[in-house]
Amino acid sequence: MANSITFGRCLLLLLLLAVVYSGMPTLQLLNAPLVILIIALDGVDGWVARKRGEESLFGATFDIAADRMVENVLWVVLAHLGLIGVWVPLLFIVRGTLVDAIRSTGTASGTAAFDMMQSPVGRFLVAGRFMRFSYAAVKAVTFAWVLLWQPFPALFPAFWNTWGAGMDAIGLALVVASAALCVLRGLPVVIEFLANRD
């Protein structure tokens, strides 16, 4: 069941991409609710796995892969649309590739990604539920906020002419906050890996 929810998130991502690139501003009003649903389901699949006793190394790995796919695709799409700078997806892709490569060493030995963290700071920043939730929430708000305004110039030009610059500034602040958390949560993985190498 939990893995089916994770797979459903991937299908919803495809639906979101179809809406974003539809060229239909009225339909694009669904952007933000779809993003929120996709990211909210990330918490649901983990909850279902725990409640049903379906926690597994495969499920944890699949969940992280789906998270990474959703995140990277959305950052690339936002950059392609010119809504954010290209530095953002590059940062997330580089950090994700590095962290996932390090985590693969643990997965190969049967250790789930979050179980690899040994220091209290690393466990808090990387594996702790508060930080995982906070990071997901900031990204969800960022994606939803930026995509919310995509149809506004066409649907509500007067509103956009008056408020668009402010909406963009808030979006940029959210993007920077997401990028900062990305780096902050990636550093402990790299540091502990380098400190514990043979």
Side-chain angles (χ1 to χ4, degrees):
M1 176 70 86
N3 291 335
S4 298
I5 294 169
T6 303
F7 182 70
R9 293 175 59 221
C10 300
L11 295 179
L12 284 172
L13 176 64
L14 295 176
L15 175 62
L16 174 62
L17 295 179
V19 170
V20 166
Y21 284 108
S22 70
M24 302 169 60
T26 304
L27 186 60
Q28 290 168 341
L29 291 172
L30 293 174
N31 288 350
L34 276 172
V35 165
I36 291 168
L37 177 61
I38 290 166
I39 295 183
L41 285 174
D42 181 32
V44 173
D45 62 8
W47 181 82
V48 167
R50 287 187 296 278
K51 285 291 184 187
R52 294 174 55 103
E54 296 177 352
E55 293 175 287
S56 67
L57 182 58
F58 172 83
T61 304
F62 184 37
D63 182 55
I64 289 172
D67 292 347
R68 195 75 72 230
M69 183 178 69
V70 167
E71 172 178 89
N72 287 341
V73 166
L74 289 177
W75 290 127
V76 168
V77 165
L78 293 181
H80 179 251
L81 294 172
L83 300 173
I84 62 172
V86 74
W87 67 269
V88 180
L90 291 176
L91 172 72
F92 278 85
I93 290 168
V94 167
R95 181 269 197 187
T97 302
L98 182 60
V99 167
D100 290 347
I102 291 169
R103 286 177 171 166
S104 70
T105 62
T107 303
S109 65
T111 305
F114 296 130
D115 294 338
M116 292 177 65
M117 301 311 302
Q118 297 174 8
S119 72
V121 172
R123 284 194 299 272
F124 172 74
L125 289 174
V126 180
R129 286 190 184 178
F130 172 77
M131 283 303 294
R132 287 168 61 190
F133 173 80
S134 298
Y135 184 47
V138 169
K139 287 187 295 184
V141 170
T142 302
F143 292 137
W145 182 267
V146 175
L147 284 171
L148 171 69
W149 305 111
Q150 184 193 16
F152 272 63
L155 292 175
F156 311 107
F159 171 89
W160 191 251
N161 287 337
T162 304
W163 300 102
M167 303 300 112
D168 283 343
I170 293 169
L172 178 60
L174 288 167
V175 167
V176 169
S178 295
L181 283 172
C182 171
V183 171
L184 183 65
R185 293 189 72 238
L187 279 176
V189 176
V190 175
I191 291 168
E192 286 194 24
F193 176 73
L194 293 175
N196 295 321
R197 66 184 177 167
D198 294 337

